[in-house]
Amino acid sequence: MMNRWKAFALHLLLSLVLISGIAATALLTWYPWGLYRISGLDRLLVVMLCIDIVAGPLLTLMIYKPGKPHLRLDLSVIALVQAGFLAYGLHTLWQSRPVFLVASDVRFDLVLASDLDESQVAAAPRPEWRRLSWSGPRLVGVLPPEDSAERQRLLAILLETGRDLHQLPEQYLPFEQVRDRILANAKNQPGGDREPALPVMSRFGEARMLIDPATAMPLRVLPPA
């Protein structure tokens, strides 16, 4: 016979399976090269899990009683509340997905969907860069302008809006145009095979990105030492 503890355990198991499925899908789709390490994904999933447990299994534990009048209605309300919190969490996860990995001569910057607005994305020089990716970050490059007037303009944008070069899609270049500079500036870092690496940064953290010594393509984000 189902009692409140069995109902709680079943609801908790279903909630864990659901959150695990969401996490696995996000990792496989949006976070190549181990970018989850600097994306804030872990914090977001923990918050989603905690809220989901409070809004679901714990409420079930509190109200479940075999034979209780209107029990089905109460459980339906809990399911709706939990679904609402889950929908909000999924929307936040969607807004936080990586859309560009921007390589400069000295580092990589991870740009999230929430870092850009539509008008900025529409100014990108290539059509495929003018929409935010649904399937993981696009690898692009960026280089400081050589023209002094353009440098002053970009400095003014930075001071006024806080947006650096990697947050300005109008400045994006094909990755191939920055490859040689990346290889020239990459340093051998500790990490087993001592392949070249560069810093990789986001607004949630930073690490080092191991790169291919021949092509400068990202290989993986190194775990903290």
Side-chain angles (χ1 to χ4, degrees), residues 121-140:
V121 176
R126 286 195 170 186
E128 62 269 28
W129 300 340
R130 294 174 192 158
R131 63 178 181 84
L132 298 181
S133 172
W134 290 28
S135 57
R138 291 187 172 93
L139 183 61
V140 297

Side-chain angles (χ1 to χ4, degrees), residues 95 97-100 102 111-122 124 129 131-133 163-170 172 203:
Q95 290 294 99
R97 75 191 188 279
V99 290
F100 290 104
V102 185
V111 178
L112 309 180
S114 55
D115 293 332
L116 304 173
D117 60 42
E118 291 184 4
S119 62
Q120 293 171 315
V121 176
W129 300 340
R131 63 178 181 84
L132 298 181
S133 172
R163 297 188 181 277
D164 208 344
L165 201 57
H166 64 276
Q167 297 169 312
L168 300 173
E170 67 184 67
Y172 289 173
R203 55 187 170 92

Side-chain angles (χ1 to χ4, degrees), residues 18-19 22 30 44 47-49 51-52 55 78-96:
L18 181 59
I19 295 296
I22 291 171
W30 294 335
L44 179 55
V47 171
M48 286 181 63
L49 180 60
I51 292 176
D52 199 54
I78 290 174
L80 287 174
V81 171
Q82 187 176 15
F85 280 117
L86 182 61
Y88 178 77
L90 288 172
H91 175 73
T92 304
L93 184 62
W94 173 254
Q95 290 294 99
S96 301

Side-chain angles (χ1 to χ4, degrees), residues 55 58 60 109 113 152 154 163 169 195:
L58 287 179
T60 296
D109 285 282
Q152 290 296 321
L154 295 177
R163 297 188 181 277
E195 291 178 282

Side-chain angles (χ1 to χ4, degrees), residues 207-221:
R208 297 195 71 79
M209 175 71 81
L210 206 62
I211 65 173
D212 186 289
T215 66
M217 286 292 292
L219 295 177
R220 66 181 183 275
V221 176

Side-chain angles (χ1 to χ4, degrees), residues 12-207:
L12 178 62
L13 177 61
L14 293 174
S15 297
L16 290 175
V17 169
L18 181 59
I19 295 296
S20 297
I22 291 171
T25 301
L27 281 171
L28 293 173
T29 305
W30 294 335
Y31 299 90
W33 311 303
L35 289 171
Y36 67 90
R37 296 182 186 276
I38 61 164
S39 67
L41 176 66
D42 53 348
R43 289 172 251 180
L44 179 55
L45 289 175
V46 167
V47 171
M48 286 181 63
L49 180 60
C50 292
I51 292 176
D52 199 54
I53 289 175
V54 171
L58 287 179
L59 287 178
T60 296
L61 179 64
M62 293 171 60
I63 66 97
Y64 192 92
K65 183 179 179 181
K68 177 184 177 182
H70 310 300
L71 179 60
R72 288 191 176 184
L73 177 61
D74 291 345
L75 292 176
S76 297
V77 171
I78 290 174
L80 287 174
V81 171
Q82 187 176 15
F85 280 117
L86 182 61
Y88 178 77
L90 288 172
H91 175 73
T92 304
L93 184 62
W94 173 254
Q95 290 294 99
S96 301
R97 75 191 188 279
V99 290
F100 290 104
L101 182 63
V102 185
S104 68
D105 53 346
V106 294
R107 73 183 194 217
F108 291 89
D109 285 282
L110 184 62
V111 178
L112 309 180
S114 55
D115 293 332
L116 304 173
D117 60 42
E118 291 184 4
S119 62
Q120 293 171 315
V121 176
R126 286 195 170 186
E128 62 269 28
W129 300 340
R130 294 174 192 158
R131 63 178 181 84
L132 298 181
S133 172
W134 290 28
S135 57
R138 291 187 172 93
L139 183 61
V140 297
V142 73
L143 290 172
E146 297 180 358
D147 179 71
S148 60
E150 180 66 4
R151 288 199 299 270
Q152 290 296 321
R153 185 182 76 86
L154 295 177
L155 177 60
I157 291 176
L158 175 62
L159 295 174
E160 181 179 351
T161 67
R163 297 188 181 277
D164 208 344
L165 201 57
H166 64 276
Q167 297 169 312
L168 300 173
E170 67 184 67
Q171 298 293 319
Y172 289 173
L173 304 167
F175 176 75
E176 293 74 18
Q177 293 188 25
V178 301
R179 177 180 293 154
D180 290 343
R181 296 201 190 188
I182 291 173
L183 292 174
N185 287 311
K187 307 294 183 182
N188 288 335
Q189 299 295 324
D193 50 10
R194 298 186 63 83
E195 291 178 282
L198 285 177
V200 56
M201 309 178 72
S202 79
R203 55 187 170 92
F204 289 103
E206 60 181 279

